[in-house]
Amino acid sequence: VQLVESGGGLVQPGGSLRLSCAASGFTFSRNAMRWYRQAPGKERELVTTITSLGGTTYYVDSVKGRFTISRDNAKNTVYLQMNSLKPEDTAVYYCNTQLWVGARWVDYWGQGTQVTVSS
């Protein structure tokens, strides 16, 4: 299983970024996908979830109306469109999925991509 994030960078407040997560090693179209983030000195938090068929089930309150998760099952890729970025969105963003392995759920993570919102 491999999850590879890309698209992070430095952006000014109010700007936009689109993160991508390319997945391999499992049946992508059958799995929900998640984006988490971890800011310096804080715990990792769940940002948003998308079901296997593309239905979104959750956004953390702080990003509602600004972030949009989507997926392309033909490309085995999940996206996070981030608009109206704020300094408090600064964090390392991680792609995540859970697979049923040996009678238990196992979390898989990408390496993360840094998003910095600053003027």
Side-chain angles (χ1 to χ4, degrees), residues 3 5 19-21 23 26 28 30-37 44-52 55 57-58 69-71 77-80 93-99 105-110:
L3 301 172
E5 300 98 334
L19 306 184
S20 300
C21 172
F26 64 102
F28 179 79
R30 294 182 181 177
N31 283 81
M33 299 295 297
R34 299 168 187 83
W35 285 99
Y36 283 77
R37 67 184 179 185
R44 192 172 297 190
E45 70 168 346
L46 176 62
V47 177
T48 182
T49 300
I50 189 166
T51 66
S52 59
T57 60
Y58 176 81
I69 189 171
S70 62
R71 65 190 295 160
T77 301
V78 61
Y79 304 97
L80 183 64
Y93 284 72
Y94 297 92
C95 182
N96 165 273
T97 194
Q98 290 182 327
L99 301 179
W105 289 105
V106 176
D107 280 295
Y108 292 88
W109 300 92

Side-chain angles (χ1 to χ4, degrees), residues 56-78:
T56 52
T57 60
Y58 176 81
Y59 286 99
V60 67
D61 286 346
S62 58
V63 309
K64 286 180 180 177
R66 300 187 298 120
F67 289 12
T68 303
I69 189 171
S70 62
R71 65 190 295 160
D72 185 338
N73 286 345
K75 295 183 178 180
N76 286 3
T77 301
V78 61

Side-chain angles (χ1 to χ4, degrees), residues 84-97:
S84 302
L85 282 161
K86 304 176 181 180
E88 51 263 43
D89 295 318
T90 295
V92 179
Y93 284 72
Y94 297 92
C95 182
N96 165 273
T97 194

